Amino acid sequence: MSLYKIRRVRFLKTFIYGILMMFFLSCLGEPPASMTNPTSYDTAKPDKIFHWKMTTTWPPNFPVVGEVAEKYAEWVEELSNGQIKIKVYGGGELVPPLEAFDAVSQGTIEMGCGASYYWAGKTPAAQFFAAVPFGMNSQQITSWLEVGGGYELWKKTYAQFNLVPFMGGNTGVQMGGWFNREINSVEDFKGLKMRLPGIGGKVLEKAGGAPILVAGSEIYTSLERGVIDATEWIGPYHDYKMGFHKISKYYYTPGWHETGSQLEFFINKNLHDALPPHLQAILQAAAKRAQVWVLSEFDKQNGIYLDKLVNEEGVEVREFSKETLDALRSYTDEAIQEMIGDDPLSKEVYESYSNFQNRIAKWSEVTEKAYYNKIQK
Ligand code: CA
């Protein structure tokens, strides 16, 4: 081959490679800001518009907890006068639901929405920012996070993973679940196959039951076919939509395993820290609004749907006995100690949580409890 031909082939190869790269990059679209500009906010461009993606751990448009992600995006855009635009994706649309944490940590997606008990495998301390059996209720958790040192510990826990957490709402006390057998004492949990994730599942195991892992979409048929004898889900609103009342005999209360499940938003820390202070404040303010909106919506809808279940569907609501709950509480203490093990951060977080709970419980005893017992109709 002549020198001319070799040069011509090299030129053509470079040219074709260049065209292919241009095509490839155009297919990728704009890379996330965190990949192109991870640490510095360009103060020369104070009006820069941020286009972000939020991935959630919920199915697309899931009532309340999925809806709040859309609302958060609206509030942030409104408050920032259009400077932060967030597009929300349901679990699985961008990444599988349980990969949200890693995707945001690595900065391939700017932010996520979920509940921190999903990340207990990353660090056991994460669990305490979502749901602790026999733990605090939503009002008490909000107080712990807002003014009791809880939020600082949450930030410390998530900083290890290059994330900044924000409150994302609270479910309030959940229901204890749907059962196809009566639960009169803790003995009745023996041999019970129940869909009950998290620490609650470990407690059930200690009580002689079998926690069964079932995906949300398969719970109904599993209960109908007797693969499981019981399941918990959330509360009347979501449970009604799942149709559990059609195939289950007893609806027990309270949800000892989820006494006020805390939800969250989380943002890539590099990206968050590079924002100007007013945008950071907006992300925080919208999260506080989410905290109020979620519980308000849960309370409203659960009131409506409890009425439907009881008065239209004839569902019998039963309470676990005090003896049953006391036994489950002592199993819970064991399960939590095992979970903490010798992890110093988990110890620090749980100590803060339980000290706060012990103190606030005494106050709630003489006010909230007296209100529920003697004033509420
Ligand atoms: Ca639940």
Side-chain angles (χ1 to χ4, degrees):
M1 196 184 283
S2 71
L3 192 60
Y4 169 76
K5 275 192 173 169
I6 289 172
R7 279 186 180 155
R8 187 178 152 79
V9 167
R10 275 189 192 155
F11 171 78
L12 278 173
K13 274 186 178 169
T14 310
F15 180 74
I16 290 166
Y17 178 72
I19 294 284
L20 282 173
M21 279 307 287
M22 278 167 67
F23 175 70
F24 181 60
L25 287 172
S26 71
C27 288
L28 281 178
E30 195 183 333
S34 51
M35 290 169 75
T36 53
N37 185 15
T39 52
S40 64
Y41 172 70
D42 188 352
T43 48
K45 293 180 185 167
D47 301 330
K48 178 177 171 179
I49 292 177
F50 295 85
H51 292 273
W52 284 9
K53 293 186 281 298
M54 185 200 305
T55 185
T56 75
T57 55
W58 325 114
N61 306 314
F62 195 67
V64 194
V65 296
E67 284 173 272
V68 77
E70 297 284 356
K71 289 195 172 291
Y72 184 81
E74 281 170 27
W75 296 330
V76 167
E77 185 164 346
E78 186 185 6
L79 285 165
S80 69
N81 200 19
Q83 212 177 337
I84 300 182
K85 293 176 190 294
I86 301 168
K87 185 159 170 44
V88 178
Y89 294 87
E93 289 183 327
L94 284 180
V95 290
L98 299 184
E99 285 176 24
F101 191 87
D102 285 340
V104 178
S105 171
Q106 289 154 13
T108 47
I109 297 173
E110 290 83 359
M111 69 177 296
C113 168
S116 68
Y117 46 40
Y118 293 133
W119 327 123
K122 305 279 179 193
T123 172
Q127 171 78 50
F128 300 117
F129 304 105
V132 179
F134 296 94
M136 290 189 274
N137 67 18
S138 60
Q139 183 177 333
Q140 297 165 343
I141 287 168
T142 302
S143 176
W144 177 58
L145 290 174
E146 183 71 16
V147 291
Y151 186 56
E152 286 67 30
L153 288 168
W154 197 1
K155 282 196 285 189
K156 180 177 169 180
T157 303
Y158 274 32
Q160 302 175 102
F161 303 95
N162 193 35
L163 295 171
V164 179
F166 289 98
M167 295 185 206
N170 192 293
T171 65
V173 181
Q174 299 194 6
M175 285 296 282
W178 298 88
F179 292 75
N180 275 331
R181 64 161 93 154
E182 282 185 81
I183 303 292
N184 295 316
S185 81
V186 73
E187 295 296 310
D188 294 320
F189 281 101
K190 288 215 165 92
L192 184 88
K193 291 173 288 173
M194 180 170 182
R195 183 248 175 217
L196 181 58
I199 306 178
K202 293 194 174 78
V203 173
L204 176 64
E205 217 165 4
K206 285 179 182 292
I212 311 280
L213 197 66
V214 186
S217 55
E218 289 163 18
I219 302 174
Y220 185 92
T221 44
S222 301
L223 191 59
E224 190 179 28
R225 291 176 190 167
V227 178
I228 52 175
D229 310 307
T231 185
E232 73 83 49
W233 187 232
I234 305 176
Y237 181 36
H238 291 78
D239 294 10
Y240 181 94
K241 288 176 183 289
M242 292 289 265
F244 295 140
H245 54 284
K246 294 176 194 155
I247 48 166
S248 188
K249 287 187 185 155
Y250 310 110
Y251 197 19
Y252 271 91
T253 190
W256 55 271
H257 61 293
E258 290 189 82
T259 56
S261 292
Q262 178 60 38
L263 310 169
E264 62 177 7
F265 296 108
F266 45 94
I267 298 175
N268 178 277
K269 189 170 185 302
N270 290 345
L271 189 61
H272 171 271
D273 293 353
L275 290 173
H278 77 280
L279 292 182
Q280 291 182 4
I282 284 168
L283 292 169
Q284 185 67 266
K288 299 285 169 64
R289 188 169 174 187
Q291 186 75 0
V292 174
W293 186 84
V294 169
L295 183 63
S296 307
E297 183 70 3
F298 264 115
D299 273 347
K300 182 187 90 175
Q301 299 289 7
N302 281 331
I304 295 169
Y305 281 83
L306 176 65
D307 185 56
K308 278 186 196 290
L309 285 171
V310 172
N311 296 321
E312 292 174 18
E313 306 295 336
V315 167
E316 191 181 333
V317 176
R318 293 195 171 196
E319 272 186 39
F320 292 120
S321 70
K322 183 168 185 317
E323 292 70 30
T324 304
L325 291 171
D326 285 346
L328 294 174
R329 186 195 295 268
S330 66
Y331 289 135
T332 295
D333 293 341
E334 280 176 33
I336 288 176
Q337 290 310 322
E338 284 168 18
M339 200 186 80
I340 290 173
D342 50 9
D343 178 47
L345 184 57
S346 294
K347 275 186 187 162
E348 187 184 359
V349 175
Y350 187 59
E351 200 175 284
S352 169
Y353 184 101
S354 48
N355 286 343
F356 196 87
Q357 183 178 8
N358 291 338
R359 204 176 315 121
I360 206 166
K362 294 189 181 87
W363 167 237
S364 301
E365 175 85 24
V366 298
T367 49
E368 298 291 322
K369 197 169 175 182
Y371 167 81
Y372 285 123
N373 287 341
K374 300 198 172 127
I375 295 181
Q376 180 164 270
K377 285 182 184 172

